[in-house]
Amino acid sequence: MASRRFVDGVGLWCALGYAGLALLARQPGEPELGWFFFLVAWTGLPVFGLFYRFLRTGEPLPVRRLLAWAVVFRLVGLVGGPFYEDDFYRYLWDGFRFATAGTPYGAAPEEFFVDPAVPVLFQGVLDGLNYPELPTIYAPVTQFVFLVAYWIKPASVAVLQAFLIAVDLAVVLLLLRLAPARNVLLYAWCPLVVKEIAFTAHPDGVGVCLLLAAIVLARDRRLGFAAALLGLAVATKTFALVLVPLVLVGARPKHWALFVGTVAAVYLPFIVAGGTDLVSLLTFARDWEFNSAVFALFKTVVAPSAARLVVGLLFAAFWGLYCLRYARGEERGIPRGDVLFGVLLVLSPVINPWYLLWLLPFAVVFPSLWAWTASVAVLFSYITGLNLPDYTLQPYEQPVWGRGLEFGLIGLALAIDVMVNRRRGMRKETE
């Protein structure tokens, strides 16, 4: 009974913090960064304390309360709406284009700026789009989500939020099949997850849900369904490719054929219609850089194109070695998605906060200080020229101290993890 009251007390405290964030999000302009980080601390630090309490005592965390408060936080985000982001305009536009043209691909939004056939409702959406000179970068399965949202209510970000919240709660339920409830708490009540999905409507959770469902099915040896879901996950975002060979290790050729066939079946209609997301993906991979870590260091000594090649080769080598160990049986069970996605991101030219949605579910299964520190520290990437009263910075430019603070905290947490694990290893050797 006491543990339930304790959970409810922390849940209410966090709900008040999210309510404050929702109020800020509904004000004209963007929330001040100081208030945002204060409320991140308000909603995040008590969750870490609650996790540690249940870890130390060994008590079972009440699952119903975990889920009830997770729903409350996300509903508050639904009321608050997006802030610090404008990607949702693209989601709304893609849904409109898919519904009216039969495909969201091929034409860049700027081609419609003076088109009188565009409804007034979507003229406002067009005005809010970023990179209007590029066709959409979002993959086919995500486009079906945008289409369904359009059918329910055109140009409504709230409908998208509600759909993605439901998918995110399915992720929580899947995680409860893979890890203890106290670990799932870290994800279900995570400020980054609530902000990026419930408030801002980033669709990465769709791919994550499909990937986790495939892992659960593969663990139960239902490889046919797992292969099909992996195909859908890859057709949601290419990040899922990182884990496909590990989930399907030992699968029969027919399962691999089903995976490839699923990806092809999803993409083929759009290819026939004249375009896919790959055009803008290549532009993104070739030209964009934001909040990078290792890539930024390489870029100081070699050309950006060479730096991209180096980090790509480094990740390929790391990924190949890990896959080899996994295939040999040196590692068993659920793949270390936390490590693989962590290495991918630290080498990547772009680290957006919502990219951690791919990493954090695996940090539930394999909790670490570095991963959950990253879930908070990556939010410092919102310290940019857009959100600072510093007109010497470009809109997406970060001050050096902001990026240093972000990666410094993650590096410190990683160092602590290494020392703690080393001490544990030494204790086991002496026992």
Side-chain angles (χ1 to χ4, degrees):
M1 193 69 176
S3 64
R4 293 178 180 178
R5 287 199 296 267
F6 199 74
V7 171
D8 286 340
V10 174
L12 179 59
W13 176 272
C14 293
L16 292 173
Y18 287 121
L21 194 56
L23 287 173
L24 290 176
R26 294 189 69 84
Q27 301 303 309
E30 301 287 15
E32 291 186 11
L33 285 170
W35 279 111
F36 172 64
F37 290 123
F38 171 76
L39 291 170
V40 167
W42 178 294
T43 54
L45 294 179
V47 176
F48 295 139
L50 188 61
F51 165 77
Y52 179 73
R53 179 187 185 276
F54 280 93
L55 179 66
R56 180 175 52 83
T57 63
E59 295 178 70
L61 191 148
V63 173
R64 289 184 180 179
R65 279 170 164 75
L66 180 153
L67 293 173
W69 285 110
V71 171
V72 169
F73 303 156
R74 285 156 175 78
L75 290 178
V76 174
L78 176 62
V79 173
F83 62 95
Y84 294 159
E85 294 291 344
D86 55 12
D87 288 348
F88 65 91
Y89 288 113
R90 176 74 73 160
Y91 312 155
L92 301 177
W93 176 255
D94 283 0
F96 164 71
R97 287 289 298 157
F98 198 170
T100 57
T103 178
Y105 301 115
E110 67 178 6
E111 298 177 27
F112 300 88
F113 281 163
V114 293
D115 187 345
V118 175
V120 174
L121 188 62
F122 282 93
Q123 290 174 11
V125 170
L126 267 177
D127 291 340
L129 277 166
N130 57 29
Y131 302 104
E133 71 279 7
L134 293 176
T136 183
I137 198 172
Y138 297 99
V141 171
T142 310
Q143 296 293 348
F144 282 106
V145 174
F146 303 157
L147 177 63
V148 171
Y150 173 88
W151 283 341
I152 295 172
K153 187 176 181 180
S156 171
V157 69
V159 170
L160 266 176
Q161 288 173 270
F163 185 94
L164 296 172
I165 285 170
V167 172
D168 189 43
L169 292 172
V171 168
V172 174
L173 293 175
L174 287 168
L175 288 173
L176 286 168
R177 297 191 59 179
L178 299 173
R182 67 168 180 265
N183 292 18
V184 179
L185 173 79
L186 292 170
Y187 178 91
W189 293 18
C190 177
L192 180 142
V193 175
V194 176
K195 190 272 175 191
E196 299 300 344
I197 294 179
F199 278 88
T200 313
H202 280 294
D204 290 62
V206 176
V208 173
C209 185
L210 292 167
L211 179 60
L212 287 179
I215 289 171
V216 169
L217 289 168
R219 190 182 61 168
D220 297 338
R221 304 308 300 169
R222 301 171 68 182
L223 291 175
F225 289 109
L229 288 178
L230 286 172
L232 292 175
V234 169
T236 303
K237 193 161 189 170
T238 53
F239 272 30
L241 278 171
V242 171
L243 292 190
V244 168
L246 301 169
V247 179
L248 290 182
V249 66
R252 296 177 180 178
K254 67 178 183 180
H255 298 129
W256 281 98
L258 181 57
F259 161 71
V260 173
T262 301
V263 176
V266 174
Y267 267 95
L268 188 59
F270 297 103
I271 293 173
V272 171
T276 69
D277 57 315
L278 298 180
V279 174
S280 291
L281 270 178
L282 290 174
T283 302
F284 175 89
R286 185 183 66 243
D287 299 333
W288 290 6
E289 190 267 336
F290 174 73
N291 192 39
S292 60
V294 173
F295 173 81
L297 297 177
F298 281 128
K299 199 177 66 168
T300 62
V301 293
V302 297
S305 58
R308 281 180 163 78
L309 177 62
V310 171
V311 296
L313 291 174
L314 285 174
F315 179 72
F318 179 85
W319 180 82
L321 289 172
Y322 183 88
C323 288
L324 188 60
R325 288 187 60 188
Y326 196 89
R328 287 176 175 173
E330 296 176 36
E331 296 204 18
R332 294 290 183 182
I334 299 170
R336 290 299 302 265
D338 57 330
V339 174
L340 289 169
F341 285 124
V343 171
L344 174 65
L345 292 178
V346 81
L347 292 172
S348 174
V350 178
I351 309 176
N352 287 313
W354 55 93
Y355 289 2
L356 267 76
L357 294 172
W358 291 86
L359 182 157
L360 294 179
F362 298 94
V364 168
V365 182
F366 309 102
S368 62
L369 182 61
W370 73 264
W372 293 106
T373 298
S375 76
V376 176
V378 74
L379 294 172
F380 286 122
S381 65
Y382 283 116
I383 303 174
T384 64
L386 278 175
N387 302 318
L388 280 174
D390 184 348
Y391 300 104
T392 64
L393 295 173
Q394 295 297 315
Y396 294 104
E397 185 180 357
Q398 299 166 278
V400 174
W401 62 266
R403 204 181 298 198
L405 179 61
E406 176 185 352
F407 295 116
L409 287 172
I410 297 170
L412 177 60
L414 180 60
I416 293 172
D417 275 334
V418 170
M419 288 189 294
V420 169
N421 290 334
R422 186 172 296 172
R423 288 177 182 175
R424 287 175 181 169
M426 292 174 63
R427 286 176 188 170
K428 287 181 180 179
E429 290 178 2
T430 57
E431 288 176 357

